[in-house]
Amino acid sequence: SQTIHQWPATLVQPVGSPLSLECTVEGTSNPNLYWYRQAAGRGLQLLFYSVGIGQISSEVPQNLSASRPQDRQFILSSKKLLLSDSGFYLCARADRQTTGYEQYFGPGTRLTVT
Amino acid sequence: KNQVEQSPQSLIILEGKNCTLQCNYTVSPFSNLRWYKQDTGRGPVSLTIMTFSENTKSNGRYTATLDADTKQSSLHITASQLSDSASYICVVSPSATNFGNEKLTFGTGTRLTIIP
């Protein structure tokens, strides 16, 4: 199984509050893991990706951070949320294969910052 | 700048009819193109993936075509069903020089609604 779990499914947080979104994956070890954000009417935006434990690459400067404390765990955090952080957050995984590193997406977390 | 443009932005068709969604891209270099289906409030699910050497690929009632010369792709849905109502996203991948750092370019999607 290449199942991806994300929680919570929905979250409403006030501006300035902290954030922690968790993603865990099943299946083959050492997957590549990704955090995306999808804003209304816009395409998916890559926020972070990780090729291994403790290895995080940031694609967009912002007040978010990511960590990978275990091989199959990827966490998205913020110390102080902004209104612009509202959106649909998707975790994805990719495994080494010959056809272009197919990415599989989790069910997503809907974040509303009020 | 790498871009993926999809048309139409939204589409409404009757159940049982066929439809075609379009995707134009300017991503270069080019490795592969993918079509995803995203139900409301859910994560995208892969439908097809084509490398630059492939012209067409089918997945049940879904058929994707690719013209790498004109940088165009289409997704044809045959005999539409109510469950086809979703957003369809075109995604283009450049040549992967470093696994994990693909920098996929996503289109904004076509919102398809099937009515009975």
Side-chain angles (χ1 to χ4, degrees):
Chain A
S1 170
Q2 304 297 325
T3 303
I4 301 172
H5 301 279
Q6 286 188 245
W7 63 88
T10 60
L11 189 61
V12 180
Q13 292 281 94
V15 168
S17 64
L19 173 74
S20 180
L21 302 182
E22 188 163 345
C23 169
T24 59
V25 303
E26 299 176 10
T28 54
S29 61
N30 198 29
N32 272 30
L33 298 176
Y34 308 81
W35 276 113
Y36 289 90
R37 177 169 59 204
Q38 186 176 33
R42 304 183 70 175
L44 273 71
Q45 179 187 37
L46 178 63
L47 302 175
F48 302 94
Y49 70 90
S50 170
V51 299
I53 296 174
Q55 301 179 61
I56 308 294
S57 295
S58 173
E59 290 297 308
V60 181
Q62 57 211 325
N63 69 319
L64 299 172
S65 62
S67 62
R68 186 169 177 177
Q70 300 180 45
D71 181 46
R72 296 187 175 90
Q73 185 183 31
F74 203 22
I75 298 172
L76 183 69
S77 304
S78 174
K79 293 182 179 179
K80 288 185 177 181
L81 284 169
L82 306 173
L83 286 175
S84 57
D85 291 325
S86 292
F88 192 48
Y89 287 82
L90 290 158
C91 177
R93 70 173 292 160
D95 302 290
R96 297 182 185 277
Q97 58 184 8
T98 59
T99 55
Y101 318 123
E102 180 74 56
Q103 290 193 14
Y104 300 91
F105 291 85
T109 294
R110 172 72 60 190
L111 171 65
T112 304
V113 182
T114 60
Chain B
K1 179 181 178 182
N2 289 339
Q3 285 188 315
V4 174
E5 295 183 353
Q6 293 186 242
S7 62
Q9 190 172 21
S10 62
L11 181 63
I12 301 173
I13 64 172
L14 289 172
E15 183 180 11
K17 298 295 185 182
N18 304 336
C19 66
T20 301
L21 313 180
Q22 301 291 341
C23 173
N24 297 337
Y25 62 92
T26 60
V27 178
S28 182
F30 169 80
S31 175
N32 61 74
L33 184 144
R34 316 161 189 196
W35 282 93
Y36 283 88
K37 177 186 178 186
Q38 185 177 22
D39 293 314
T40 302
R42 308 288 295 273
V45 175
S46 178
L47 294 175
T48 64
I49 178 170
M50 293 181 290
T51 65
F52 64 90
S53 62
E54 296 178 287
N55 299 120
T56 185
K57 182 161 283 189
S58 293
N59 178 1
R61 294 180 296 102
Y62 301 101
T63 300
T65 64
L66 173 64
D67 186 334
D69 291 331
T70 61
K71 294 186 168 64
Q72 295 179 326
S73 175
S74 65
L75 180 69
H76 185 74
I77 304 175
T78 304
S80 60
Q81 301 176 358
L82 295 178
S83 59
D84 292 332
S85 294
S87 288
Y88 292 83
I89 303 172
C90 177
V91 184
V92 179
S93 173
S95 296
T97 58
N98 183 19
F99 178 56
N101 188 20
E102 287 186 277
K103 297 189 189 297
L104 300 179
T105 302
F106 291 78
T108 56
T110 292
R111 179 67 201 176
L112 176 64
T113 303
I114 311 298
I115 56 176

